[in-house]
Amino acid sequence: MPEIELSAGTIDYEDTGGEGPVLVFLHGVTIDGSVWRNVVADLRHDHRCVCPTLPLGAHRRPMRPGADLSLTGIALLVAEFLDRLDLREVTLVLNDWGGGQLLVPLGRAERVGRLVLTSCEAFDNYPPGLPGRMIELAARIPGGLWLVMRLLGLRSFRRAPGGWGWMSKRPVPDAVMDGWFAPARASSAIRRDLAAYTRSVPPRRVLLEWAEGLRAFAGPVLVAWAVEDRLMPREHGPRLAALFKDARLVEIEDSYTLIPEDRPALLARTIAEFVRETDTGRTPA
């Protein structure tokens, strides 16, 4: 897996290469880029697919002590990543974690030509639902994250209602989830990075101001929302789409938050159609 040195530390990423449109896929907290593996498998022949592993708890290399791992700090790391790889006209694809949206209100979306928002944090829904709040609370209690990550090593705990069982309708393969949770189980420095992020969510007023700032994005936007999602309110899909000048809403049946796990083939087709139909050589926002 290639790596790149950024201001906060070394980031691992996957890059299929190729000459097609560039898709950059972002993942959620305690998840890594492998959540996109089945979507990328369908898209890689006609697109360049890039999947960075952000310092959100499943990263294998601790960031530098004192690095800015706040919500805005990690969003700016995404911008830095795009700069360092000189990626242009990027289709930025989000799932679960919503921080990538902040490139727009932060004025760093110059390399982003399109946005794809798939059942992700939005408005004041940070952190989302019981799983998000559990991680946030654990980060504030000495030893809390250690305990949660130990529990996530148990298969029964992973599928418990109200917890990770609400992330996907279909069980994520154990080997994949083992890979997600192993770094924070094994490393106190990784747990330190995760805690730095989870403690950084700003007040509701600030989150809503950032959401309003999304109106500045002029490029095409696809909002693909799981209608049965238990963590990201269904009404957030149309509400997000209404913020943008050029947006389309697609509602995904038979899926919870992790659409890349529950409906990867459908999501891949939907993204490919969106990119093809909006490939007009427009300038990024």
Side-chain angles (χ1 to χ4, degrees):
M1 183 179 293
E3 61 187 51
I4 191 166
E5 189 78 15
L6 301 181
S7 58
T10 301
I11 298 291
D12 295 319
Y13 66 99
E14 295 186 9
D15 186 349
T16 63
E19 299 298 323
V22 179
L23 311 179
V24 175
F25 296 89
L26 305 183
H27 57 80
V29 174
T30 68
I31 297 175
D32 64 21
S34 66
V35 72
W36 293 105
R37 65 197 181 283
N38 296 320
V39 175
V40 168
D42 284 351
L43 292 173
R44 64 182 300 151
H45 304 292
D46 300 310
H47 306 79
R48 179 182 176 186
C49 300
V50 183
C51 301
T53 292
L54 301 174
L56 289 169
H59 54 300
R60 279 117 182 111
R61 305 165 188 263
M63 296 294 101
R64 297 188 182 94
D68 182 1
L69 301 180
S70 65
L71 181 57
T72 53
I74 295 181
L76 291 173
L77 274 185
V78 174
E80 187 180 348
F81 178 78
L82 301 182
D83 288 344
R84 288 292 307 278
L85 291 184
D86 194 24
L87 302 177
R88 302 171 185 269
E89 278 289 324
V90 164
T91 299
L92 192 64
V93 188
L94 279 61
N95 178 248
D96 187 16
W97 183 62
Q101 301 167 68
L102 300 187
L103 294 184
V104 178
L106 293 174
R108 288 303 321 274
E110 66 274 6
R111 292 181 179 271
V112 180
R114 305 176 188 84
L115 278 174
V116 177
L117 308 177
T118 74
S119 284
C120 59
E121 295 166 318
F123 303 105
D124 58 347
N125 190 34
Y126 292 80
L130 290 176
R133 294 187 186 97
M134 176 179 65
I135 294 290
E136 181 186 37
L137 178 62
R140 299 180 184 279
I141 300 172
L145 281 178
W146 177 88
L147 177 59
V148 168
M149 300 316 298
R150 288 288 162 182
L151 289 172
L152 284 170
L154 304 175
R155 271 61 168 173
S156 58
F157 186 80
R158 292 175 180 179
R159 294 304 299 171
W164 265 86
W166 283 3
M167 293 292 291
S168 62
K169 289 191 75 172
R170 298 155 185 83
V172 178
D174 286 333
V176 173
M177 295 190 85
D178 288 343
W180 292 350
F181 302 141
R185 290 182 66 200
S187 170
S188 60
I190 298 294
R191 294 194 297 273
R192 175 205 68 199
D193 291 348
L194 176 57
Y197 170 75
T198 57
R199 293 171 183 158
S200 75
V201 176
R204 179 174 184 270
R205 171 186 57 80
V206 175
L207 291 170
L208 293 177
E209 287 176 359
W210 285 340
E212 281 298 307
L214 294 174
R215 297 183 187 276
F217 188 74
V221 179
L222 169 66
V223 179
W225 218 256
V227 298
E228 297 178 63
D229 201 318
R230 300 186 177 203
L231 305 179
M232 315 299 176
R234 182 174 182 177
E235 61 269 20
H236 279 190
R239 187 176 163 194
L240 266 176
L243 290 175
F244 297 100
K245 301 176 179 68
D246 180 8
R248 63 193 67 185
L249 172 66
V250 176
E251 294 194 318
I252 305 292
E253 302 282 352
D254 194 26
S255 180
Y256 291 165
T257 301
L258 297 184
I259 303 173
E261 292 289 345
D262 281 333
R263 302 297 308 275
L266 173 60
L267 183 57
R269 288 197 304 272
T270 302
I271 292 172
E273 290 170 3
F274 168 69
V275 171
R276 184 172 60 251
E277 292 168 3
T278 58
D279 189 12
T280 59
R282 67 180 72 214
T283 302

